[in-house]
Amino acid sequence: MCGIVGVTGNKRSVNILLNGLKSLEYRGYDSAGIYVNDQEGHDYLVKRTGRIKNLEQAINEQGDVHGTAGIGHTRWATHGEPSEANAHPQFSNDDRFYLVHNGVIENYQQLKSEYLADVDFKSQTDTEVIVQLVDRFVVNNHMDTRSAMLKVLRLISSDSSYAFVLMDRQQPDTLFVAKNKSPLLIGLGDGYNMAGSDAMSMIKETNRFMELEDHELVIVKPDHISITSFDGEEKKRQPFTVDMDPSAADKGAYPFYMLKEIDEQPAVMRRLVSEYLPADGKPQVEDALLESMASSDHLYIIGAGTSYHAGLVAQRAFEKLTGIHTSVHISSEFAYEHPLLSEKPFFIFLSQSGETADSREVLVNVKKHQWPSLTITNVDKSTLSRESSFSMLIYAGPEIAVASTKAYTAQIAVQAILAKALGMKMGQQAAADFALKEQLAIIANGMQAITDSKDKMAEIAAHYLSKPRNAFYIGRGMDWSVALEAALKLKEISYVQAEGFASGELKHGTIALIENRTPVIGLITQDRTAGLTRSNLEETASRGAATLTIVSRHLANEDDNIVLPDVDPLLTPLLSVVPTQLLAYYTSLGKGLDVDRPRNLAKSVTVQ
Ligand code: F6R
């Protein structure tokens, strides 16, 4: 969802901006633009709808686009259709100020009618209101740009979200940077500085960053950074470095990132063993975190989409291995309506990106109450990880495809590691007996075997899933949790209307949807419910469904379609989800869709 890059003090500004925007493409966008200034009286604004390559082509066609400072943006439409007029940078009518923005200004209509009733607007965006307003205060009220920006920031309602980078043609070496709720980082170069939506958008240029907090205005010059709060208080902040290999975000020989990321799962499992489970198999987890969790009376797991699904799976490991009551909640729901909380709650945030606005909304509230929290994320120093009391990394490497795959399995594995560590800390025998290290080794090999059978998955996808409008994944307990994730994967990238159901619920209503050849895929990995799910599958088959099975080996018979290696019942999702990821991938591929960038979706959902 919207990406921002800014740079000042570098002659390669156009390239730096384009590279940064390309590395933010994965978030999803529908138009892109840059503004650059060479500080010698030349400046350029280029915007295009569609892909960054359209923007790049327009820049090349123009021939002389160059600069030493600039801002770039990928836009995912919120106010107004995708068009060149609505693309960013937005600019003031006198062509003096240029602004890129990620987020939503909730009171922009009010600002517009109160201060700018006489202004002719060129776009339908809330962003243009902000840039015209800065201009109004500078030109009419004779304020300097910094003071005008501060005044505008104070007028924006606190429920708004924004990451802003503003440029003033009259101070072309300066970026005016501010944020509230939306992600933004400062990048520190040698003789130049940057701003960007995440570390990856700047990692080709620098691995040194500086955090900026909500309600701060940062003035970025080539050789100087100054941070002040909206109340004018000066702030000092230490930079940090991020250890990230820029080439890890390359697709290599793969046609799509999603397939590469599915294939990386065995390596991620092995990496997690080496990071968290040393020789003796006793998990290495920060003791202060375990202390804090052990003194709580309820674990609340919070997440969105696939991360929420990873929480549903891990709830069982937490309860079984620690004895602490655990519940799992969708962040966008929990933020506005939650159950009566226990006396000593502990919050676990699951977020691949560490930037999801819905989850952050919950975290902001959790912090207000001074409740302890942990973020389990793939992105070091991301907003959620910085703002929670503790953080753990899932070490999955950059996940670029919009559909999350390796982050899901890594989140489940890290939660299992944490549950074991916590259970052992609390003296639970079940946790001590849980042979996680050995299990993860078996799982890594099992994942490898599944990803090696791509031809079979492609065949099943073509045969069963390419034509129908609807499909169902069914299962009970743990298998139901995976059914939800399997259905999400299929619907988001292949546009098949897929649902995950508790198989026992089918006959209470949903079975009415079964028609001739409707695909129903049964997940069967748990001893207690295997027979029941098989009966439920039979019920759909006798009403015309085309049934398929994904089954653990010890429960399999010769008619089963996909057979998985046997693993501990708490960890079966790590294997059973992999064929469903591949089925979604091949269904989407077979339909000729853009697997990595499905319509209407963004990788990092930074607005609520
Ligand atoms: C689906 C998917 C989304 C994300 C969700 C939360 O494949 O990727 O459902 O899981 O938007 O994102 P994070 O984990 O970054 O908080």
Side-chain angles (χ1 to χ4, degrees):
M1 200 160 269
C2 301
I4 286 179
V5 206
V7 60
T8 177
N10 197 312
K11 286 196 176 130
R12 292 171 35 250
S13 285
V14 173
N15 272 343
I16 291 175
L17 294 178
L18 285 172
N19 285 339
L21 292 182
K22 281 180 196 161
S23 73
L24 291 166
E25 273 194 296
Y26 73 95
R27 293 169 162 237
Y29 67 102
D30 40 50
S31 55
I34 62 164
Y35 167 77
V36 283
N37 192 313
D38 71 355
Q39 298 186 54
E40 288 171 2
H42 306 104
D43 62 351
Y44 308 84
L45 175 71
V46 190
K47 306 198 268 186
R48 284 294 179 273
T49 53
R51 299 291 190 217
I52 293 186
K53 62 176 188 303
N54 303 352
L55 174 69
E56 207 166 10
Q57 197 180 339
I59 291 170
N60 290 338
E61 277 165 13
Q62 213 161 309
D64 59 344
V65 180
H66 67 281
T68 49
I71 47 181
H73 189 265
T74 48
R75 173 173 186 258
W76 193 82
T78 54
H79 293 77
E81 54 171 13
S83 67
E84 261 171 50
N86 287 335
H88 299 200
Q90 288 291 316
F91 54 101
S92 57
N93 283 353
D94 59 3
D95 290 347
R96 175 168 167 183
F97 294 98
Y98 294 80
L99 178 68
V100 288
H101 166 216
N102 170 11
V104 176
I105 306 301
E106 301 292 347
N107 63 334
Y108 81 105
Q109 288 290 11
Q110 175 231 327
L111 294 174
K112 195 169 168 177
S113 51
E114 201 165 316
Y115 296 93
L116 302 166
D118 56 336
V119 172
D120 241 352
F121 282 85
K122 308 171 291 294
S123 78
Q124 299 151 292
T125 64
D126 49 348
T127 309
E128 188 184 354
V129 174
I130 301 306
V131 73
Q132 302 277 22
L133 197 52
V134 172
D135 186 67
R136 167 63 41 109
F137 292 146
V138 170
V139 175
N140 289 22
N141 301 15
H142 310 292
M143 296 175 92
D144 62 73
T145 302
R146 185 177 170 280
S147 313
M149 181 81 176
L150 269 176
K151 181 166 168 136
V152 172
L153 291 168
R154 290 194 200 107
L155 288 173
I156 294 174
S157 60
S158 60
D159 54 346
S160 301
S161 55
Y162 54 80
F164 286 137
V165 185
L166 176 91
M167 283 186 73
D168 173 358
R169 222 176 177 185
Q170 297 187 8
Q171 300 176 59
D173 70 339
T174 307
L175 307 178
F176 298 84
V177 179
K179 79 179 261 310
N180 184 44
K181 299 186 189 180
S182 299
L184 202 60
L185 264 185
I186 304 297
L188 305 172
D190 206 0
Y192 65 95
N193 287 313
M194 299 182 69
S197 294
D198 61 19
M200 202 138 77
S201 64
M202 301 180 270
I203 198 75
K204 283 198 171 129
E205 305 303 324
T206 181
N207 67 349
R208 286 175 64 234
F209 301 97
M210 191 179 278
E211 189 183 337
L212 82 145
E213 289 176 3
D214 286 355
H215 300 140
E216 288 179 341
L217 175 63
V218 185
I219 306 292
V220 180
K221 290 182 176 276
D223 51 4
H224 185 70
I225 307 280
S226 79
I227 309 176
T228 42
S229 71
F230 287 3
D231 307 328
E233 187 198 336
E234 270 204 40
K235 304 266 189 96
K236 288 266 166 286
R237 193 152 302 143
Q238 286 307 313
F240 59 86
T241 53
V242 166
D243 180 20
M244 192 192 273
D245 173 6
S247 68
D250 287 344
K251 208 159 45 179
Y254 282 90
F256 287 100
Y257 280 107
M258 184 179 176
L259 193 61
K260 173 175 179 263
E261 290 161 7
I262 291 172
D263 272 359
E264 282 170 350
Q265 292 177 105
V268 175
M269 292 299 118
R270 292 183 187 116
R271 167 103 196 250
L272 288 173
V273 168
S274 74
E275 293 290 342
Y276 288 115
L277 294 163
D280 62 0
K282 183 166 177 269
Q284 269 182 345
V285 176
E286 194 182 344
D287 203 49
L289 163 63
L290 299 179
E291 293 270 352
S292 178
M293 292 180 82
S295 65
S296 74
D297 59 4
H298 192 126
L299 306 176
Y300 294 88
I301 302 179
I302 310 289
T306 291
S307 293
Y308 164 69
H309 294 158
L312 291 176
V313 167
Q315 176 196 24
R316 296 167 179 91
F318 280 114
E319 293 203 332
K320 192 159 175 218
L321 303 183
T322 72
I324 304 180
H325 193 255
T326 305
S327 55
V328 190
H329 303 269
I330 294 174
S331 48
S332 56
E333 286 294 308
F334 196 92
Y336 300 98
E337 191 175 272
H338 57 69
L340 194 60
L341 298 185
S342 69
E343 270 180 29
K344 289 190 200 158
F346 186 98
F347 287 83
I348 301 173
F349 290 88
L350 295 179
S351 177
Q352 187 283 131
S353 62
E355 303 294 349
T356 299
D358 291 321
S359 302
R360 181 160 187 256
E361 188 66 24
V362 180
L363 178 56
V364 167
N365 224 353
V366 162
K367 281 178 69 172
K368 259 189 216 145
H369 287 89
Q370 298 186 328
W371 288 320
S373 58
L374 160 73
T375 291
I376 297 179
T377 182
N378 198 22
V379 183
D380 194 13
K381 314 284 193 312
S382 55
T383 304
L384 286 166
S385 74
R386 291 196 309 263
E387 295 184 352
S388 54
S389 332
F390 302 95
S391 127
M392 281 176 85
L393 284 175
I394 61 170
Y395 295 109
E399 193 183 65
I400 309 289
V402 163
S404 184
T405 52
K406 60 179 179 172
Y408 170 80
T409 45
Q411 282 171 337
I412 293 172
V414 169
Q415 289 176 95
I417 291 165
L418 177 61
K420 177 174 166 75
L422 180 57
M424 287 175 75
K425 168 110 190 149
M426 297 171 74
Q428 299 278 5
Q429 194 54 45
D433 295 344
F434 187 44
L436 185 53
K437 188 172 175 172
E438 294 72 16
Q439 285 290 311
L440 288 178
I442 297 169
I443 284 163
N445 292 340
M447 285 173 158
Q448 189 76 61
I450 300 165
T451 55
D452 284 347
S453 61
K454 290 192 179 68
D455 289 351
K456 178 174 176 182
M457 301 302 159
E459 235 172 72
I460 295 178
H463 186 73
Y464 287 90
L465 297 168
S466 61
K467 301 248 158 53
R469 224 167 39 88
N470 306 318
F472 299 92
Y473 277 98
I474 65 167
R476 290 178 181 237
M478 190 70 107
D479 293 329
W480 176 30
S481 301
V482 179
L484 295 173
E485 172 58 12
L488 175 61
K489 236 34 6 148
L490 187 59
K491 66 185 134 192
E492 70 180 320
I493 60 168
S494 75
Y495 315 147
V496 174
Q497 161 95 50
E499 299 302 337
F501 275 110
S503 45
E505 275 289 285
L506 277 172
K507 55 186 170 301
H508 297 289
T510 313
I511 202 163
L513 292 171
I514 302 297
E515 295 172 347
N516 197 28
R517 304 290 310 154
T518 304
V520 180
I521 304 172
L523 292 155
I524 303 171
T525 69
Q526 306 290 313
D527 293 10
R528 280 182 59 202
T529 54
L532 290 166
T533 296
R534 281 197 190 278
S535 307
N536 299 136
L537 266 180
E538 278 302 313
E539 287 156 15
T540 65
S542 58
R543 283 155 184 87
T547 59
L548 275 164
T549 46
I550 299 175
V551 190
S552 290
R553 179 159 295 131
H554 73 286
L555 296 169
N557 60 45
E558 59 191 21
D559 297 330
D560 284 316
N561 304 86
I562 298 168
V563 177
L564 311 167
D566 285 326
V567 290
D568 189 287
L570 288 175
L571 300 172
T572 56
L574 293 176
L575 290 178
S576 60
V577 78
V578 182
T580 74
Q581 297 168 340
L582 287 165
L583 291 179
Y585 174 83
Y586 284 112
T587 307
S588 174
L589 192 73
K591 290 183 168 184
L593 300 171
D594 185 343
V595 179
D596 285 340
R597 287 186 289 225
R599 68 183 177 208
N600 307 340
L601 283 172
K603 179 71 180 164
S604 186
V605 185
T606 51
V607 294
Q608 283 181 57

